[in-house]
Amino acid sequence: MCHVFILLVFYLLLKSPVGSQPMQSPHLSFPWSRLRLPRYIIPLHYHLHLHPNLTTLSFSGSVRIQIHVENNTNWVVLHSKGLQISKATVLDENLVLPVLHNPSHEQAAIFSPRVLSRGHKYFLYIEFGAELGDGFYGFYKSTYRMSTGETRTLASTHFEPTSARMAFPCFDEPSFKANYSVRIRRSPEHISLSNMPIVSKTVELNDGLLEDHFAVSVRMSTYLVAFIICDFKSVSATTSSGIKVSIYAAPEKWQQTHYALEVAVKMMDFFEKYFNILYPLPKQDLIAIPDFQSGAMENWGLTTYRETSLLFDPLTSSVSDKLYVTMVIGHELAHQWFGNLVTMEWWNDIWLNEGFARYMEYISVEATYPELRVEEYLLTTCFAAVGRDSYDSSRPISSSAESPTQIKEMFDTVSYNKGACVLHMLRYFLTDDVFQSGIVRYLRKYSYSNAHNQDLWDSLANVKTHTKDKLHVEFMSGKYCYSSSQASKNAYLFAGEHLDLTAMMNTWTLQKGIPLIIVSRNGYLWHIPLTYKTNMSTTIHRHMMTTHTDSVDIGEGVGWVKVNTDMTGYYMVHYEGSGWDEMTKLLREDHTALSYKDRTHLIHNAFQLVTGGQLLLNKALDLIDYLRSETHTVPLLEGLGYLEAFYRLVEKRNTYILRFFRDVIDQQMWSDRGSVSERRLRSEVLSLACHLDDPPCLERASQTFRDWLLSNGTLNLPTDVAETVYSVGARDEHGWASLFHTYTISLSEAQKEKILSALASSRDTSKLHRYTDSLVKMRNYTKNINKLPCKREKGKISHSTIFSRQNIIIGTTGHFSSPEELTDVQLFFESIKEQASQLRATQVALDNVQKNVLWVQRNLGTLRNWLDEQMK
């Protein structure tokens, strides 16, 4: 096996925040020892004034916080990280008070010599300043390049989960909701944006600066506050309910904002109807930030995006790019209700935000853009969750998290993907109407407040139905009116069985892992809403499984049983005895007897069971032999993915894969014609064929690349195959250099992403060093690091650059499968134990490598023998 050059690149910057206090007292010690703030001071209203200086790359400001005191105290404890606090007062603005700092907890404490009395309100006034950040959190600087070569600077914010404290002193926990009045001072060549619109005419100051005053915000958590100073241009439109929607981007990219505007208006209209709650702000801005770490952020009224998550260029963006932009916008706008209007009480339940928003991507896009066939991607989301959940290092959906590091790690596959898939199972179980009405009830009851898991279950359980299982809900003056009393509280009718929803859902959210259903024709404590279908009818049968063993009467003469119909349930299924042979026979003889989702689920299920040691590899390989006659994109790509993984393990035997999929490869056109599914298949299949050095593919890609070079980059490549063409072109020196140059001057982020991926796929280590040294900021590195060829050096893993992203830690080790590589990873993590001790990602990475090593030990011989038989 060829070992490649892996740069295990992550960086843990352990910098203590700088803080200066206006007054120190040798007789005072910090009054609070816990990570979470005390509850005896409640913020009500922040009056925030900021002056960012884009020349000195610093900012100054003041905040006047109205607070309510719950207990008599002399201390106000709040969050502050990296801020130079120059003045703090309470009661008497002429009396500057002592400020103490606890950098390890990112807290500041202000001492008042007069007792702040219980039941009273006070104003806390603080002046502060800091440098604009170099990273992607807090109040940070970003730059972009004009076509003239000029570099321009902007300042933007990203506060979730715990970085508002880097921009202004605040009570930086999600349950401390408050109103915000923001004023921003700026130079005339810039504009400023915040959560709310500018409330009155901009004020001209004596020093040539301007000051914008924004309207008072609704009550919200600190992590949703946002402000941006830039020189961007925008396009705007109005929703059916009168909300102004604007898309902002760098001046030379505003032409790429029109599709996002169309999507955002459609999505706002959809969510207002789906949630039956009007959007409470007068405007919704969406802005593309050049330097942005995550995909996007749901700041209320001012959502921020990576440029590739918002901008769409018809000439260079593929259909997959279009779907991605649509889904990301759907995700962030769903948050405006689920997350912003109602927020989790604490970060242990972040899945209530992110799992729901991930699931609403599918519901919203399917409703507004059905031609994009977004439902075909839901299985992939659930498969990713199953893969993570199969590790010992997985965690429950709702998990403890206290420190900022632990909280950041909650934004993972479990919260997003597993959360979405469990909600999908719940929706399918309750029916669409009951699920939707329960969600509306939850949002109305907890608007502008915080909630827990239990609150969601209670809201869903209080939706009542007619005996005919028809939902009847009327919306009257913002309240519900129910016309039926037939259904009992906290109980649902599921195949004739009354169920406790809370007990059921606690089994899915409070314990880790995924249940395995072993199906035996003769015959885990989870509450599992079981579904199945047989060859005897098209009916989907339902049964609630609440014991370790159970039996279901499937009737006489049944030939086959497929459990977990369309993978609507989050559980694995193993067919004992001849069960898998029956599935294999069915697929070979009449694969269309099962839906494409069921066929895809069988493939994924089988290979997951191989990994777990429950099924022999040759059984799973026999199952996918039917793919020669498969025509649907989703099961084809699922089977192709496993074969591609095996290619890496077995002396790179590309001949079998190319022969197996010859017909599928030859059917692909080098164009953008066809349905979304056909175009997705074309992109994936041709990419793999050229990667496997298929001569016809390489010849066509090389000629297309030469034509593109001769046109001086003016030829518009088919967007669905552009990345494949670039990747083949990057194999020689001239092609790689040409792409590098195009990357530096292109104004299309979609094109730049494809070029970046192509540059990373080079097999020349000298080019890769140039790539890592010259091109990569963290925002792009994390996406393309896994494509870098890698080389394991004996006794160590080389790392030239270090980053702190957990997906890099997991992704770069994902293909390691030898005992030597496992030892190297263990030694590396041991060498950085102090920095990595709080990172769950290191254990996930180790689990992954251990799983790969065990898989190879169990199955490599079988795989080789099976391939030899197939090649005869």
Side-chain angles (χ1 to χ4, degrees):
M1 180 166 44
C2 175
H3 294 113
V4 275
F5 165 96
I6 201 126
L7 312 171
L8 200 83
V9 253
F10 77 90
Y11 194 11
L12 304 167
L13 286 175
L14 303 177
K15 285 174 66 177
S16 295
V18 178
S20 67
Q21 45 275 4
M23 175 179 173
Q24 295 285 355
S25 171
H27 306 297
L28 297 175
S29 59
F30 202 85
W32 191 249
S33 60
R34 300 176 186 175
L35 275 169
R36 294 202 208 179
L37 295 179
R39 306 296 303 182
Y40 56 75
I41 301 286
I42 307 297
L44 302 176
H45 197 137
Y46 291 80
H47 298 266
L48 181 61
H49 181 217
L50 290 163
H51 179 199
N53 188 320
L54 299 187
T55 302
T56 63
L57 302 180
S58 61
F59 68 95
S60 59
S62 64
V63 63
R64 189 168 177 257
I65 311 172
Q66 185 183 33
I67 57 175
H68 183 267
V69 177
E70 301 280 326
N71 293 321
N72 291 348
T73 182
N74 293 94
W75 290 96
V76 179
V77 180
L78 72 171
H79 287 108
S80 175
K81 180 181 179 182
L83 299 174
Q84 304 280 348
I85 295 178
S86 56
K87 180 180 180 181
T89 67
V90 181
L91 298 172
D92 183 354
E93 293 192 2
N94 295 316
L95 179 61
V96 178
L97 301 177
V99 180
L100 305 184
H101 292 265
N102 184 353
S104 64
H105 288 184
E106 302 175 356
Q107 294 172 357
I110 298 166
F111 177 76
S112 170
R114 288 176 54 188
V115 172
L116 305 179
S117 301
R118 176 183 177 180
H120 286 71
K121 295 181 177 66
Y122 301 91
F123 281 100
L124 169 66
Y125 177 79
I126 304 173
E127 295 178 0
F128 57 91
E131 302 296 313
L132 289 170
D134 289 320
F136 303 93
Y137 286 93
F139 196 14
Y140 69 94
K141 62 179 179 286
S142 177
T143 60
Y144 69 94
R145 187 178 180 185
M146 298 287 288
S147 58
T148 59
E150 176 192 0
T151 297
R152 295 186 179 180
T153 302
L154 62 142
S156 183
T157 58
H158 186 104
F159 293 160
E160 189 179 35
T162 60
S163 295
R165 65 194 67 174
M166 299 172 68
F168 60 99
C170 56
F171 297 80
D172 199 10
E173 295 178 5
S175 63
F176 285 119
K177 290 193 171 186
N179 301 102
Y180 293 83
S181 297
V182 177
R183 292 182 296 152
I184 296 178
R185 195 166 293 186
R186 60 176 173 85
S187 58
E189 65 267 24
H190 294 115
I191 62 170
S192 69
L193 300 170
S194 190
N195 305 85
M196 301 296 290
I198 294 176
V199 71
S200 59
K201 185 178 179 181
T202 296
V203 178
E204 295 185 15
L205 304 177
N206 294 331
D207 51 6
L209 297 176
L210 303 177
E211 188 171 278
D212 296 323
H213 294 213
F214 295 89
V216 179
S217 77
V218 296
R219 289 186 73 242
M220 60 184 181
S221 303
T222 48
Y223 77 88
L224 296 172
V225 177
F227 30 87
I228 298 168
I229 297 85
C230 62
D231 65 345
F232 285 5
K233 305 299 181 185
S234 66
V235 294
S236 300
T238 304
T239 69
S240 59
S241 63
I243 304 302
K244 182 181 180 181
V245 177
S246 302
I247 315 293
Y248 288 83
E252 293 180 322
K253 297 179 181 179
W254 74 269
Q255 298 94 335
Q256 301 173 42
T257 61
H258 297 286
Y259 178 68
L261 182 63
E262 172 197 310
V263 173
V265 171
K266 272 192 178 183
M267 289 291 185
M268 291 289 287
D269 286 340
F270 169 78
F271 285 127
E272 285 193 330
K273 292 176 183 176
Y274 187 90
F275 296 131
N276 198 35
I277 298 173
L278 291 175
Y279 177 71
L281 276 61
K283 61 95 173 176
Q284 175 66 59
D285 296 335
L286 300 83
I287 182 168
I289 305 296
D291 297 308
F292 200 80
Q293 186 180 60
S294 55
M297 177 59 206
E298 66 267 22
N299 316 301
W300 214 344
L302 178 55
T303 53
T304 48
Y305 299 77
R306 186 184 294 192
E307 289 182 312
T308 50
S309 300
L310 189 66
L311 304 182
F312 179 81
D313 180 0
L315 296 179
T316 59
S317 299
S318 68
V319 68
S320 294
D321 296 330
K322 188 175 192 177
L323 175 61
Y324 176 67
V325 167
T326 312
M327 292 178 74
V328 173
I329 293 174
H331 182 107
E332 303 310 323
L333 295 186
H335 271 312
Q336 305 302 296
W337 286 263
F338 216 105
N340 296 9
L341 185 64
V342 180
T343 311
M344 73 278 144
E345 180 75 20
W346 183 250
W347 301 106
N348 62 301
D349 280 336
I350 186 59
W351 84 276
L352 284 175
N353 283 20
E354 300 303 346
F356 188 86
R358 172 59 52 88
Y359 188 43
M360 286 306 298
E361 294 174 22
Y362 294 95
I363 294 177
S364 62
V365 176
E366 188 172 4
T368 54
Y369 291 89
E371 70 276 11
L372 292 180
R373 303 295 300 273
V374 70
E375 70 276 7
E376 295 184 359
Y377 290 77
L378 181 57
L379 285 176
T380 304
T381 294
C382 296
F383 292 163
V386 169
R388 169 66 188 277
D389 229 7
S390 63
Y391 297 155
D392 287 339
S393 56
S394 187
R395 62 171 182 84
I397 290 178
S398 183
S399 300
S400 174
E402 294 296 324
S403 71
T405 299
Q406 292 169 344
I407 291 169
K408 284 181 181 179
E409 285 210 314
M410 294 293 287
F411 292 78
D412 64 359
T413 302
V414 174
S415 290
Y416 284 76
N417 292 20
K418 183 177 179 180
C421 296
V422 168
L423 287 170
H424 178 59
M425 178 175 65
L426 182 60
R427 179 182 177 222
Y428 192 80
F429 160 51
L430 297 177
T431 73
D432 292 354
D433 287 341
V434 173
F435 179 82
Q436 181 180 352
S437 297
I439 294 302
V440 173
R441 182 182 182 86
Y442 169 83
L443 290 174
R444 285 179 177 270
K445 183 174 182 179
Y446 298 102
S447 288
Y448 306 106
S449 186
N450 299 82
H452 302 85
N453 271 346
Q454 186 62 50
D455 300 319
L456 178 58
W457 311 147
D458 289 345
S459 296
L460 289 165
N462 280 324
V463 177
K464 299 185 178 183
T465 63
H466 281 307
T467 53
K468 291 183 179 180
D469 220 21
K470 298 288 187 180
L471 178 74
H472 182 73
V473 179
E474 298 176 4
F475 299 106
M476 301 179 61
S477 302
K479 297 181 179 180
Y480 285 95
C481 174
Y482 301 100
S483 61
S484 172
S485 60
Q486 301 297 318
S488 61
K489 186 176 180 181
N490 292 324
Y492 279 88
L493 192 67
F494 190 76
E497 303 162 66
H498 288 280
L499 305 165
D500 185 332
L501 184 64
T502 296
M504 170 186 156
M505 293 312 297
N506 282 346
T507 66
W508 296 96
T509 60
L510 302 182
Q511 60 184 337
K512 69 179 181 180
I514 179 169
L516 172 64
I517 304 298
I518 299 177
V519 180
S520 171
R521 294 296 291 271
N522 298 320
Y524 312 50
L525 187 56
W526 302 70
H527 290 204
I528 301 174
L530 208 65
T531 59
Y532 65 94
K533 63 194 301 185
T534 75
N535 61 302
M536 300 299 288
S537 74
T538 58
T539 302
I540 297 175
H541 303 276
R542 304 165 185 263
H543 173 72
M544 177 55 65
M545 186 174 179
T546 59
T547 58
H548 288 288
T549 60
D550 205 347
S551 62
V552 179
D553 183 6
I554 61 173
E556 298 292 333
V558 170
W560 53 261
V561 180
K562 167 63 174 66
V563 178
N564 198 358
T565 306
D566 289 342
M567 201 188 170
T568 52
Y570 187 75
Y571 55 90
M572 303 289 294
V573 181
H574 178 37
Y575 302 91
E576 282 197 326
S578 61
W580 281 106
D581 293 333
E582 291 168 1
M583 292 292 105
T584 299
K585 182 174 182 292
L586 171 64
L587 291 177
R588 284 178 176 170
E589 294 178 355
D590 184 17
H591 67 273
T592 58
L594 297 175
S595 69
Y596 81 85
K597 292 180 180 178
D598 273 336
R599 302 195 300 269
T600 309
H601 176 233
L602 281 174
I603 295 169
H604 176 264
N605 210 143
F607 283 103
Q608 286 295 311
L609 291 173
V610 170
T611 299
Q614 299 279 342
L615 186 67
L616 295 175
L617 175 61
N618 58 337
K619 293 281 188 182
L621 291 168
D622 289 342
L623 182 82
I624 64 171
D625 190 61
Y626 95 95
L627 286 173
R628 301 171 193 270
S629 56
E630 179 63 80
T631 58
H632 199 284
T633 296
V634 179
L636 268 173
L637 291 181
E638 185 67 16
L640 192 61
Y642 284 108
L643 290 177
E644 183 182 6
F646 299 153
Y647 157 79
R648 297 191 187 99
L649 291 174
V650 193
E651 293 82 38
K652 299 200 173 181
R653 296 191 188 183
N654 58 348
T655 307
Y656 171 73
I657 301 178
L658 293 174
R659 192 172 78 176
F660 189 91
F661 286 102
R662 185 75 265 161
D663 289 345
V664 176
I665 295 170
D666 291 343
Q667 290 168 6
Q668 304 310 312
M669 300 179 295
W670 291 71
S671 72
D672 285 337
R673 292 195 296 271
S675 68
V676 170
S677 293
E678 290 168 341
R679 295 175 65 181
R680 178 189 176 196
L681 181 65
R682 173 187 308 141
S683 180
E684 297 286 345
V685 167
L686 291 179
S687 174
L688 179 62
C690 282
H691 179 68
L692 297 179
D693 295 329
D694 178 46
C697 185
L698 290 177
E699 182 179 350
R700 181 64 181 269
S702 297
Q703 183 57 55
T704 304
F705 186 74
R706 287 193 294 270
D707 293 342
W708 179 75
L709 284 180
L710 287 173
S711 75
N712 198 27
T714 60
L715 175 68
N716 292 321
L717 297 175
T719 59
D720 298 327
V721 298
E723 186 172 324
T724 296
V725 171
Y726 293 148
S727 295
V728 172
R731 292 188 179 189
D732 67 50
E733 180 65 38
H734 177 63
W736 200 92
S738 298
L739 286 167
F740 189 101
H741 173 70
T742 301
Y743 177 88
T744 61
I745 63 172
S746 175
L747 293 175
S748 166
E749 290 303 312
Q751 182 185 42
K752 292 175 74 171
E753 280 286 304
K754 294 174 178 61
I755 291 175
L756 199 61
S757 178
L759 295 175
S761 70
S762 174
R763 301 170 187 182
D764 185 332
T765 56
S766 65
K767 292 187 179 70
L768 294 177
H769 281 300
R770 185 181 176 192
Y771 171 95
T772 56
D773 290 343
S774 304
L775 286 180
V776 180
K777 283 191 174 184
M778 193 172 183
R779 60 190 173 113
N780 290 319
Y781 208 104
T782 55
K783 183 174 180 179
N784 292 292
I785 180 65
N786 300 336
K787 299 178 183 179
L788 286 173
C790 55
K791 178 180 181 181
R792 188 181 62 82
E793 299 179 30
K794 186 175 181 180
K796 66 176 181 178
I797 301 171
S798 61
H799 51 288
S800 60
T801 317
I802 302 179
F803 295 86
S804 62
R805 292 292 298 272
Q806 58 183 2
N807 60 329
I808 294 182
I809 298 173
I810 298 168
T812 51
T813 58
H815 302 313
F816 285 1
S817 58
S818 71
E820 295 80 14
E821 288 166 329
L822 174 59
T823 299
D824 286 348
V825 173
Q826 289 171 326
L827 290 172
F828 178 76
F829 287 152
E830 182 66 26
S831 71
I832 58 165
K833 182 169 59 177
E834 184 178 344
Q835 299 99 312
S837 60
Q838 292 192 65
L839 289 177
R840 185 183 287 111
T842 57
Q843 189 55 52
V844 174
L846 282 173
D847 281 355
N848 197 23
V849 179
Q850 289 167 342
K851 177 200 72 174
N852 292 346
V853 170
L854 184 59
W855 195 99
V856 169
Q857 291 172 346
R858 284 175 176 166
N859 300 301
L860 189 56
T862 301
L863 179 59
R864 284 192 176 122
N865 293 337
W866 188 87
L867 286 173
D868 288 341
E869 286 295 318
Q870 301 301 311
M871 295 303 293
K872 287 182 180 178

